[in-house]
Structures are given as structure tokens and as C-alpha cells.
Amino acid sequence: MNDAVTAVDHSYAAVLARRNDIMKASLGMDYEAFATSPIAFDYPAMMAATGYDLERIAAIQRQTKVGETPLYELRRLTDAVRSIAEPGKGARILLKDEAANASGSFKARRASISAYEAQAKGYAGMVTATSGNYGAAVASQAAQRGLKCIVVQEVYDSHGVGQPEIVEKGRACAAYGAEVLRLTIGPELFYVLLRTLEETGFFNASLYTPFGIRGVETLGAEIGREVTQRYGRAPDVVVVTHAGGGNLTGTARGLLAAGCADTQVMACSVDLSGLHMASDTDFNQKSFTTGHTGFGIPFATWPDRVDVPRNAARALRYLDGYHLVSQGEVFYVTELLAKLEGIERGPAGNTSLTAAIALAATMERDQIVVVQESEYTGAGKHHNSQLAFARQRGIEVRRGDPRDNVPGRAIVIPQRLDQVTGTPLELTRLRRSYLAQAALHHPVARWTDTDVEFLAADTKTTPQWVREHAATLARPGASDD
């Protein structure tokens, strides 16, 4: 009998080859049970497999200081918008203040069910990979459940320079008791995550599991119920900051559960066109580490680029529009919120408020637009810290026309409220890009009726639309991606 222990291969290729087995062990969920093809899977069944309904999720969240956050009417900000809008225009602006959650952001909702699930299944701890806000949420929820927590965080460029917002997020993770593994930008993040999960046997508290998305559903449901009770009608538009898609997906599903089928769900991202998120040189040239196009566009056009086999965040499945705003516009609105409404919140959480202002100016006065989240601010997350860091990086910061903003080179802060307009983004191109990605994973000629129906649901279109556009993608040079 050979008592020698077989050495485990920890090379990059070997660890990634074991990813599915690692994920299955760290979640207790078999994703293969839902797969029907290389691109299609039973999404409703996967979400239902969590075994939770909204009432139970809300009860779990109440145990750990999550949910039932204030819904404020931003009266002075609404009045300011009406003062620059055309007669009869200027929708009522409401803010769901998610900074009131434990850990200071909506991501506490996302982490709460994962922590509960980890405790119920007997895991000793939780692991997550994040730029920070979610890591703080996981650490906070783990602390309240008596679980250990490890946060794998991209912090530095190759020169060892960390953006102040990310450094602050790491500090918050540590404050809640997490062990923080601080890495440089690059592919090692996923590798270190997999190795950590494999070596610890901890629960995978990924942002993109069904548990995380189900946790956000209470946010949409609260908005739907509270607005209807207070104003006798559902919100006309709910604006959601979009990065990986979980915020939007969970909120939209919660709105539908609350009966708000006619409410428009509007995605919003900071426009960082021209900056590559995996580039070492571009890493610190941005002032927003999440909620920007570097995540928002790729994740909308192919959700399954994440640390789980199937992403439960499916943005195109739920969104009705997409609005881009500049960094300067968000910084301007961040100061405006503090000086008009007396509440100081982090710039990243004010991305959706910026789009809401632009939209409200074009909507009727009797309509309602809801900003569905805010986040805490302070230290490196504060907008003054972000702007000071930008100047240190050689980025021009000035007042003027925000249309002159150049990501990585110039942050132009509006001089007047009427300059906060943002830019609508055409959804057809995103949908076509999604189909192009699907074709790369599974040739169009092999798509079955089940595949087409899945893609239609995932792009919020029809099987006929999918077939028509798939036919054009099948021609040489027709891909939008």
C-alpha cells in the first residue's frame, strides 16, 4: 500500500481546469442540472433552487441589520430640476437610502443570504473576490453569523499604487474582521480565489450566485410597495447603477414581484470609454472602481464571464434603457445632494442619481423616478479624495462643459445643473453583441428552438427577433462584438 500523498497541482492551468469542481464544492449547487446547451440553461429553475421566497429573505435580512431602508423624497433637488426644465416637466425624484444597511451599501442585501446559506450548510467561512464594497458587506454579514471571512481584492497597479477608494474599501473589510488578500491588477484574482476556496473549504460568496441576486430582490420589492403606498401609484422609472448586473437584476425581479410590471428599469453607468479595465496603465486613471462601462457593457453583452458557471445576474433580461453619465457629472451631483438635501453619500452610489436628474428633466411633473440605492462615503471614498488622486495622476480637473470629459485625461465638472444630461445608449447594439458572443460559444447553425427561446428571454426580445439577427451574424464580418 502506498501511503504517499499525491501532490496537488497548483499551476494556473491546473487550478482553472478544476474550477467547476471547486465551485460545486464551495456552493453546494450543481449548475449542470440546469444546463440545456453551451449557451442555454433553465434560469427560472436555477433561481427557484435557492429555496427562498421574498418573505423569508426579508426575515433573514432583518436578523443582520439589512433592509427596510428609508425612502426619501428629494424635494429641493426636484425643485431645482423643475426650475431648469420645460414647463410641466420635472418628475418627482425619490432616493432609497441603502447607506442605512449594515456595511453601508445595498450589497449587504446580496451578502446576507450567502452568509445565511453558508452557516446553514455548515461552512466555517466565506470567500469573495471584489473591489471592496461587497467584500465589506460579506465581512459584516460573516461577523454577525460567526463565520470567518477572506476577501480577495485587486488593489494595486504594478507600481504598488492603490486608488484611494479601493484602499478605503479594503480597510472597511478588515474592520469587519476579514482577512484581506491584496493583489495587483491582472488574471491572478480568479486564480487566487479558486485556490483559496479549494484550500479552505469555505463557502463561495460570489456576487453572481442565485443567493446573491435573490438577496437584492427585497430592495426592488420595498421600492414598489413603498412608492405605491405613499403616492398611490407605482414608480414610472427606477434608475439602477449597472456594473456586473446583479443590482439591476435583483431590483427588477423585486419590482415585478411587487406588481410593478409597467415600471421602466433604467441602467446607468459612468462612461469610461477608452480605458481598459484589465490594463495596468489604465487601472488608476479612473475615478470609479465600479458602476462604469468597463464592467457594465461586457457584463450586459455576455453575463457568463464570472467566477461561477452560470451568472444569475442577467441585465439585458430586465432592463428597458441604458444611460451613460460622465465622471464630472457624478461629482457635481454628489456635491449637489449634500448641499441641497443635507445628506453626503459616496460618488459611486450617486451614479444613478445623476441619470435620474437628467431623466426627470424630460419627464412629466406627476411622474416618479426612483434612485434605488446610495452608499456610505468617507476617507478614500470621498469625492475630494478621488479628485485629488486624479490630479496626482496628471488628469486635468476643471469646471466646464461635461461633454468635454475624456476618461483618463480630463474630468470636466458641470458649471450648471442644466449641463447634467448624460447620453442614452442604444440597446439594439448590446443585444446584437450578446448574440455574437453566444455564437462564439455555440455556432448559430446548432441553435435549437430552446436556445432561441432562452436568448429571446435573455435579451428581452422575441424568438423572431433572435432568428432575424442571428441570420445576419452568420454572414462573414457581421459580428457586432
Side-chain angles (χ1 to χ4, degrees):
M1 180 176 178
N2 186 358
D3 292 329
V5 177
T6 302
V8 177
D9 188 348
H10 290 309
S11 68
Y12 184 87
V15 171
L16 263 64
R18 297 195 297 271
R19 60 177 290 180
N20 286 343
D21 290 338
I22 295 171
M23 291 298 169
K24 186 175 180 178
S26 64
L27 270 174
M29 175 176 282
D30 185 2
Y31 281 84
E32 293 179 4
F34 309 109
T36 56
S37 84
I39 55 174
F41 66 100
D42 192 337
Y43 179 70
M46 185 181 78
M47 298 303 290
T50 60
Y52 298 102
D53 58 25
L54 271 174
E55 288 71 23
R56 189 179 177 205
I57 292 170
I60 290 168
Q61 291 176 337
R62 282 194 294 270
Q63 295 173 2
T64 53
K65 310 172 188 68
V66 178
E68 299 178 349
T69 54
L71 178 70
Y72 297 129
E73 181 176 337
L74 303 181
R75 291 184 174 87
R76 296 200 69 208
L77 195 53
T78 297
D79 288 343
V81 171
R82 288 174 175 172
S83 72
I84 54 97
E86 295 180 1
K89 302 291 185 180
R92 193 190 308 265
I93 303 172
L94 308 182
L95 171 67
K96 186 69 166 166
D97 194 16
E98 288 292 282
N101 286 311
S103 80
S105 79
F106 85 93
K107 289 183 177 176
R109 295 181 189 261
R110 223 161 163 171
S112 61
I113 306 305
S114 288
Y116 181 87
E117 188 76 7
Q119 184 184 50
K121 289 180 175 177
Y123 288 87
M126 305 166 70
V127 181
T128 188
T130 168
S131 68
N133 263 6
Y134 183 62
V138 173
S140 170
Q141 291 298 303
Q144 295 179 73
R145 296 284 177 191
L147 300 171
K148 296 179 181 178
C149 179
I150 300 175
V151 174
V152 186
Q153 184 190 26
E154 281 183 327
V155 182
Y156 307 111
D157 63 15
S158 59
H159 300 287
V161 178
Q163 187 182 129
E165 182 182 11
I166 297 180
V167 173
E168 158 61 21
K169 290 175 179 180
R171 181 212 60 78
C173 294
Y176 292 117
E179 176 184 353
V180 184
L181 306 181
R182 297 176 174 87
L183 309 178
T184 54
I185 182 72
E188 66 175 327
L189 180 72
F190 189 35
Y191 167 75
V192 172
L193 171 68
L194 289 173
R195 279 203 61 178
T196 304
L197 288 169
E198 188 173 46
E199 292 169 7
T200 62
F202 285 1
F203 185 83
N204 179 14
S206 167
L207 281 159
Y208 305 107
T209 68
F211 305 112
I213 306 307
R214 293 302 310 272
V216 185
E217 290 177 17
T218 54
L219 174 52
E222 285 177 26
I223 289 170
R225 287 195 300 264
E226 291 166 13
V227 173
T228 301
Q229 290 169 2
R230 190 182 303 181
Y231 299 97
R233 56 179 295 174
D236 294 280
V237 177
V238 173
V239 188
V240 186
T241 301
H242 171 54
N247 191 10
L248 189 143
T249 300
T251 299
R253 287 172 59 87
L255 285 165
L256 290 172
C260 301
D262 295 327
T263 297
Q264 298 286 295
V265 177
M266 178 68 66
C268 176
S269 298
V270 178
D271 187 357
L272 294 184
S273 303
L275 294 182
H276 195 290
M277 294 308 105
S279 165
D280 178 60
T281 56
D282 290 350
F283 183 63
N284 281 327
Q285 294 303 102
K286 60 190 188 305
S287 294
F288 289 80
T289 59
T290 187
H292 55 68
T293 53
F295 290 122
I297 302 301
F299 277 82
T301 56
W302 191 247
D304 295 324
R305 56 177 83 234
V306 289
D307 55 0
V308 288
R310 297 290 188 178
N311 189 356
R314 321 292 296 188
L316 282 179
R317 182 176 283 253
Y318 294 102
L319 64 84
D320 298 295
Y322 200 146
H323 208 79
L324 303 183
V325 295
S326 69
Q327 295 181 102
E329 287 174 299
V330 179
F331 286 132
Y332 177 84
V333 167
T334 296
E335 288 229 345
L336 204 63
L337 178 67
K339 291 175 178 176
L340 288 184
E341 297 291 346
I343 51 177
E344 191 176 36
R345 299 291 181 263
N350 291 331
T351 299
S352 50
L353 176 59
T354 306
I357 286 172
L359 293 169
T362 68
M363 296 167 61
E364 302 298 325
R365 285 198 175 204
D366 62 351
Q367 291 185 293
I368 297 172
V369 57
V370 181
V371 178
Q372 56 75 253
E373 57 102 5
S374 65
E375 65 173 41
Y376 86 98
T377 193
K381 287 175 64 68
H382 197 277
H383 63 286
N384 286 337
S385 295
Q386 293 287 73
L387 289 171
F389 183 71
R391 290 188 180 97
Q392 292 169 11
R393 302 291 298 178
I395 296 171
E396 180 187 15
V397 178
R398 62 180 173 84
R399 301 293 296 274
D401 187 340
R403 290 176 295 183
D404 294 334
N405 175 81
V406 181
R409 295 175 59 187
I411 296 174
V412 184
I413 300 173
Q415 295 173 308
R416 306 181 311 274
L417 182 59
D418 61 4
Q419 293 176 310
V420 177
T421 59
T423 308
L425 183 63
E426 175 55 52
L427 291 184
T428 299
R429 182 175 178 83
L430 297 182
R431 289 168 173 150
R432 282 180 54 83
S433 185
Y434 178 99
L435 295 186
Q437 285 285 346
L440 292 175
H441 288 78
H442 194 43
V444 173
R446 298 181 186 176
W447 290 2
T448 65
D449 288 344
T450 299
D451 291 328
V452 170
E453 289 171 4
F454 171 81
L455 292 170
D458 234 25
T459 55
K460 203 173 185 181
T461 58
T462 64
Q464 180 181 356
W465 186 94
V466 171
R467 290 190 178 95
E468 289 175 353
H469 287 270
T472 65
L473 291 174
R475 296 199 298 268
S479 172
D480 275 10
D481 191 64

